[in-house]
Amino acid sequence: MATHDELQSFVRESLSRGLKRPEIEDALVKAGWKTDQIDHAMDAYAQVEAFPIPVPRPKAYLSAREAFMYLVLFTTLYLTTFNLGRLIFQFANLAFPDPAALYDSVQSAHEAIRFSVASIIIAFPIFLYLSVLISRLIRRDPSKRSSKVRKWLTYLTLFVAAAVVIGYLTALVYNFLGGELSLRFALKVVTVACIAGGIFGYYLWDLRQEEQESEA
């Protein structure tokens, strides 16, 4: 059975001999290789004009220092967004209180607001500092975009944001169909949609920018 190394060697040799990429891909498809395997092998080499040999692209790598930075970055992002949403939730609870538990809801809302504000005061500046620091490092060395930890945490963030938005929208439709939709709950859904949707949109855009740069 042919191995991945053999596929890479074939692609490299073919490119070295001046064969066009569509010709190489067509030959591999006819030989029985899967499309994702072919794409992975072809993407290993950049399309550099007028250069006699194939130019390899930077490979994804794992750095303990960057793993630490990205783990702290995304942790503070989660803490900031969660407590920002919780803060807005409590303001909604105070603006539209539940008459059945007015005193308890007010007391718990004040405690939740105090804790959320404290969390944001600590987590958000750390998130901003690391965001600026990592952006500077990437501008100096664009290959740092290939960090495996960065990609995994980015896709994890996309998954969490999408799951949260889908969950709250489902609850919104469920309550609407049951005739139990309140203004307070609708405001909470809008809050979640704005925060999680904004995070999803930004990181999806960032991934697309990275793909466009790698294809350039």
Side-chain angles (χ1 to χ4, degrees):
M1 179 180 293
T3 64
H4 176 72
D5 290 338
E6 291 176 333
L7 175 59
Q8 288 282 8
S9 298
F10 174 82
V11 170
R12 179 181 176 83
E13 181 68 21
S14 300
L15 291 172
S16 298
R17 296 190 179 189
L19 294 175
K20 301 297 183 181
R21 287 176 176 257
E23 296 175 340
I24 301 172
E25 293 172 356
D26 185 59
L28 290 171
V29 169
K30 291 178 179 178
W33 288 94
K34 296 181 180 179
T35 304
D36 57 340
Q37 294 175 316
I38 298 172
D39 291 341
H40 181 73
M42 298 296 292
D43 288 341
Y45 300 98
Q47 300 186 45
V48 180
E49 297 293 337
F51 202 78
I53 62 175
V55 180
R57 295 183 188 274
K59 294 183 179 180
Y61 66 95
L62 182 61
S63 165
R65 177 173 177 268
E66 291 185 6
F68 168 77
M69 293 174 62
Y70 280 115
L71 284 170
V72 176
L73 174 73
F74 281 92
T75 299
T76 52
L77 171 64
Y78 298 152
L79 287 173
T80 300
T81 53
F82 172 79
N83 283 286
L84 176 61
R86 189 184 186 200
L87 189 63
I88 298 175
F89 279 19
Q90 299 310 319
F91 287 142
N93 290 337
L94 292 176
F96 305 99
D98 183 1
L102 182 59
Y103 178 77
D104 291 339
S105 63
V106 170
Q107 288 294 106
S108 62
H110 286 161
E111 293 179 3
I113 289 173
R114 187 165 64 250
F115 183 84
S116 294
V117 169
S119 299
I120 293 173
I121 289 175
I122 298 299
F124 187 59
I126 297 175
F127 171 75
L128 282 181
Y129 170 75
L130 288 176
S131 297
V132 173
L133 178 60
I134 291 173
S135 295
R136 289 177 179 174
L137 292 174
I138 291 177
R139 282 198 299 269
R140 293 175 186 172
D141 183 6
S143 66
K144 291 186 179 295
R145 275 185 169 273
S146 300
S147 171
K148 290 183 178 180
V149 176
R150 176 179 176 276
K151 287 188 176 181
W152 273 98
L153 290 177
T154 299
Y155 278 108
L156 176 62
T157 301
L158 287 175
F159 169 75
V160 172
V164 169
V165 171
I166 292 172
Y168 268 89
L169 290 179
T170 301
L172 176 66
V173 174
Y174 175 80
N175 286 348
F176 175 77
L177 294 176
E180 301 175 359
L181 183 62
S182 65
L183 180 58
R184 179 175 61 181
F185 181 74
L187 288 174
K188 291 180 179 180
V189 172
V190 171
T191 298
V192 171
C194 290
I195 295 176
I199 292 174
F200 183 89
Y202 171 77
Y203 282 104
L204 183 61
W205 170 84
D206 188 57
L207 285 174
R208 287 179 175 175
Q209 288 291 111
E210 180 180 348
E211 291 175 357
Q212 291 175 359
E213 290 176 3
S214 63
E215 293 173 356

